[in-house]
């Protein structure tokens, strides 16, 4: 399957490098501070904890969950085409009015699934490299970073049969480890750049104390907490899976070892 898929981990890493370098030098912001105040972007590599978060949000009466179409990426791609420049090369040339225009365009695009008065939950996969642009376009928006242990996350992706063209990095241990590192460093950067606008939601804490973890998540999203309703409609916290495989996953463990990064 890996041989049949087109995935260039080095190219994705270059995108991560460029995003960090660009947004470290410039912190753009749209001209409409409240734009996107009802939008929450859910990001994270596929993992069981992320699935539980989405189930809980979908069960909430005041949340409207997106249809999976990558509208944020489409808006950025359209702007890149208009400017004849790849992202994030054009970021330095965009002013507050440009970001407002892009933010309004995004809001128009999600109108087919958004609901008036509800919190709009956009959980489209693969958005995390573009969060600098998203938070400039939507100054009122918030981000939830759903993360699990590195080994658990990579094994969760590897053992699933993803459709062709989705999660193409997940069929090879080296690709998986590299993609995890890019995700991890990008999210650490966005956390530092946008303190207070990015909430880290940990799967381990969700499993250990689901009521507290969900209460904090919902509060960050601007949603009320209903323990009985969420318990009835959200699936149970998953158990760790990768640890059961012992030495069979040792090559992946070594690739994910943070001390091995210096050898890259």
């Amino acid at each position: 399957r890996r041989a049949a898929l087109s995935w260039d981990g080095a190219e994705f890493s270059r995108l991560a490098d460029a995003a960090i370098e660009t947004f470290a030098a410039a912190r753009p912001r749209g001209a409409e501070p409240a734009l996107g105040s009802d939008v929450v972007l859910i990001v994270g590599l596929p993992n069981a904890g992320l699935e539980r978060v989405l189930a809980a949000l979908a069960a909430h009466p005041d949340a409207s969950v997106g249809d999976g179409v990558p509208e944020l990426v489409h808006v950025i791609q359209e702007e890149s085409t208009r400017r004849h420049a790849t992202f994030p090369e054009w970021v330095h040339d965009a002013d507050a009015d440009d970001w407002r225009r892009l933010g309004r365009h995004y809001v128009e695009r999600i109108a087919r699934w958004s609901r008036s008065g509800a919190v709009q939950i956009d959980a489209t996969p693969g958005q995390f490299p573009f969060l600098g642009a998203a938070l400039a376009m939507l100054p009122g928006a918030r981000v939830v970073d759903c993360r699990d242990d590195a080994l658990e996350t990579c094994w969760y992706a590897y053992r699933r049969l993803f459709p062709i063209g989705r999660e193409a990095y997940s069929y090879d241990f080296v690709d998986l480890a590299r993609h995890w590192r890019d995700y991890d460093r990008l999210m650490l950067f966005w956390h530092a750049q946008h303190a207070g606008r990015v909430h880290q939601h940990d799967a381990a804490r969700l499993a250990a104390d689901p009521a507290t973890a969900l209460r904090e998540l919902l509060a960050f999203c601007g949603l009320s907490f209903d323990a009985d309703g969420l318990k009835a409609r959200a699936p149970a916290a998953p158990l760790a899976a990768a640890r059961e495989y012992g030495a069979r996953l040792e090559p992946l463990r070594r690739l994910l070892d943070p001390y091995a990064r210096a050898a890259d």
Side-chain angles (χ1 to χ4, degrees):
R1 178 63 67 85
R2 173 67 182 88
L5 294 173
S6 175
W7 173 256
D8 188 336
E11 181 180 353
F12 189 90
S13 294
R14 285 192 290 272
L15 171 61
D17 291 338
I20 291 172
E21 180 180 356
T22 298
F23 287 95
R27 296 186 61 177
R29 191 172 181 86
E32 196 170 340
L35 187 62
S37 58
D38 61 342
V39 173
V40 177
L41 302 166
I42 309 293
V43 299
L45 300 187
N47 63 74
L50 173 59
E51 288 194 353
R52 189 177 187 221
V53 164
L54 294 180
L57 292 172
H60 200 288
D62 297 325
S64 178
V65 180
D67 58 7
V69 177
E71 300 295 5
L72 172 64
V73 177
H74 286 164
V75 169
I76 291 173
Q77 288 175 338
E78 288 175 4
E79 185 69 4
S80 296
T81 300
R82 190 184 75 83
R83 291 176 178 270
H84 305 288
T86 59
F87 178 84
E89 291 177 359
W90 51 263
V91 165
H92 291 293
D93 297 324
D95 60 21
D97 289 334
D98 288 322
W99 292 116
R100 175 172 55 187
R101 170 177 53 82
L102 294 173
R104 288 181 173 178
H105 185 35
Y106 169 86
V107 170
E108 291 170 359
R109 292 189 67 118
I110 69 170
R112 68 178 179 279
W113 57 261
S114 59
R115 192 172 75 248
S116 179
V119 175
Q120 320 304 333
I121 306 294
D122 185 346
T124 309
Q127 301 189 108
F128 61 92
F130 308 103
L131 289 181
L135 294 176
M137 291 161 46
L138 305 164
R142 289 148 289 169
V143 176
V144 175
D145 173 17
C146 292
R147 57 172 54 220
D148 199 348
D149 170 81
L151 181 64
E152 291 294 339
T153 299
C154 290
W155 178 239
Y156 180 88
Y158 186 78
R159 67 188 175 89
R160 292 181 60 183
L161 297 176
F162 287 106
I164 291 292
R166 295 284 298 278
E167 284 73 47
Y169 61 85
S170 67
Y171 293 91
D172 177 84
F173 280 178
V174 173
D175 286 341
L176 270 167
R178 181 173 196 156
H179 199 64
W180 164 264
R181 291 182 187 176
D182 286 335
Y183 157 74
D184 186 45
R185 66 195 181 97
L186 272 165
M187 289 313 304
L188 290 174
F189 176 74
W190 301 132
H191 276 276
Q193 288 287 98
H194 298 281
R197 298 183 69 190
V198 183
H199 172 73
Q200 182 168 314
H201 182 83
D202 295 297
R205 187 154 181 259
L206 178 65
D209 187 358
T212 300
L214 284 173
R215 188 186 298 275
E216 291 176 355
L217 169 70
L218 294 174
F220 179 79
C221 294
L223 293 166
S224 61
F225 179 74
D226 175 6
D228 293 335
L230 288 171
K231 183 177 180 181
R233 288 173 287 183
L239 297 175
R243 308 297 173 186
E244 301 173 2
Y245 288 81
R248 293 167 63 184
L249 289 185
E250 191 57 34
L252 181 55
R253 286 192 183 91
R254 288 198 299 270
L255 287 167
L256 291 168
D257 184 345
Y259 295 104
R261 297 185 186 190
D264 288 352

